Amino acid sequence: KDVQKEREPHVYLSKEEVKEKIQSYNSSVTDKLKMTLNANGVYTGFIKVQLELCRPITVQSSQSQERYAPSNQETAFYLPDGCVNTLHISSTNTVREVIEALLKKFFVADNPAKFALYKRCHKEDQVYTCKLSDREHPLYLRLVAGPKTEMLSFVLREHETGEVMWEAFSIPELQNFLRILDKEENDQLQLLKSRYAAYRGKLEEALRGVLKPG
């Protein structure tokens, strides 16, 4: 169940409370992805983000390319559904910074404004997916929820169609989307024609059997 955008109430914990929560968190970790508390009160740790992208992403073939700028050395393709990536972040990193870091890790040239980070959690035997505010702190949410992804997980998606900032796309990207849509439309048309041809063949075969002189 998808719910509206939510700003998680941020409870300001004392350094001692943070220390206790981190100790409790680390004692429950099973994948060695523990959190570390620094002397200045900032803590670092890991979050896993599942990618649920419906549209193709544009990836740079060279790391030296200027980000978000059209280039002949860019390739658009679909990421495998359900791909999960692990990020090492700090408690000061916001949702927007996490999205930017994730895209940078994959050398994605698309503008971060095209994407949103969601939290997925279990409440009363139901699964809720909620868009997070850009200023939320994912590692804080991870600490409060504990290390179990069944209780809380993060998902990267595109903005809904009505929320898409089309001006953030370059002309080559938009043209590439149209080419992909044309290809998908043609593939579906050929598949539909094939199914109807097979159905027609079976009907004609049945009719020949019925009309055959006895």
Side-chain angles (χ1 to χ4, degrees):
K1 180 180 179 180
D2 286 358
V3 295
Q4 293 182 344
K5 186 174 183 178
E6 176 181 312
R7 180 172 177 80
E8 190 77 15
H10 197 300
V11 179
Y12 291 94
L13 305 174
S14 67
K15 186 174 180 179
E16 189 59 35
E17 289 174 324
V18 170
K19 182 178 179 181
E20 291 176 0
K21 281 190 172 293
I22 289 177
Q23 289 175 343
S24 175
Y25 182 97
N26 289 343
S27 66
S28 302
V29 167
T30 57
D31 54 11
K32 298 182 180 181
L33 300 181
K34 296 184 178 183
M35 293 194 187
T36 302
L37 178 62
N38 300 317
N40 60 1
V42 175
Y43 50 96
T44 59
F46 299 85
I47 62 168
K48 294 180 179 180
V49 182
Q50 182 172 343
L51 308 183
E52 293 184 354
L53 304 179
C54 299
R55 294 188 288 271
I57 60 170
T58 304
V59 178
Q60 297 171 326
S61 58
S62 172
Q63 299 182 33
S64 62
Q65 292 288 333
E66 181 181 355
R67 298 193 73 204
Y68 321 137
S71 168
N72 293 329
Q73 294 183 321
E74 293 179 349
T75 304
F77 65 92
Y78 288 95
L79 278 176
D81 189 33
C83 177
V84 177
N85 196 267
T86 302
L87 287 177
H88 185 252
I89 63 173
S90 81
S91 56
T92 62
N93 289 133
T94 63
V95 163
R96 181 51 48 190
E97 290 171 334
V98 166
I99 292 175
E100 291 174 354
L102 189 61
L103 298 181
K104 184 177 180 181
K105 192 171 184 178
F106 279 99
F107 304 112
V108 176
D110 298 274
N111 194 316
K114 303 174 187 177
F115 305 91
L117 190 68
Y118 291 74
K119 70 173 184 178
R120 182 175 289 156
C121 55
H122 292 254
K123 292 181 180 178
E124 300 176 354
D125 298 326
Q126 291 193 49
V127 179
Y128 291 85
T129 303
C130 173
K131 186 192 296 183
L132 293 170
S133 164
D134 284 348
R135 295 186 178 181
E136 285 305 304
H137 298 86
L139 194 61
Y140 166 80
L141 301 180
R142 180 79 278 161
L143 176 63
V144 172
K148 293 183 179 180
T149 55
E150 296 83 8
M151 299 302 297
L152 173 73
S153 59
F154 296 104
V155 180
L156 183 73
R157 293 178 178 176
E158 301 98 341
H159 283 294
E160 298 297 331
T161 303
E163 301 176 339
V164 174
M165 299 175 61
W166 294 110
E167 64 274 14
F169 291 83
S170 66
I171 296 299
E173 285 179 308
L174 294 173
Q175 291 173 335
N176 190 63
F177 289 163
L178 288 175
R179 284 195 295 270
I180 291 174
L181 288 175
D182 287 341
K183 182 179 183 304
E184 290 181 347
E185 182 181 11
N186 184 64
D187 290 344
Q188 290 297 319
L189 181 60
Q190 295 304 318
L191 179 62
L192 191 60
K193 285 183 177 180
S194 176
R195 288 177 179 174
Y196 273 95
Y199 185 53
R200 177 185 293 275
K202 290 180 180 179
L203 285 176
E204 290 176 346
E205 183 179 349
L207 281 173
R208 285 195 295 270
V210 171
L211 298 177
K212 187 184 233 182

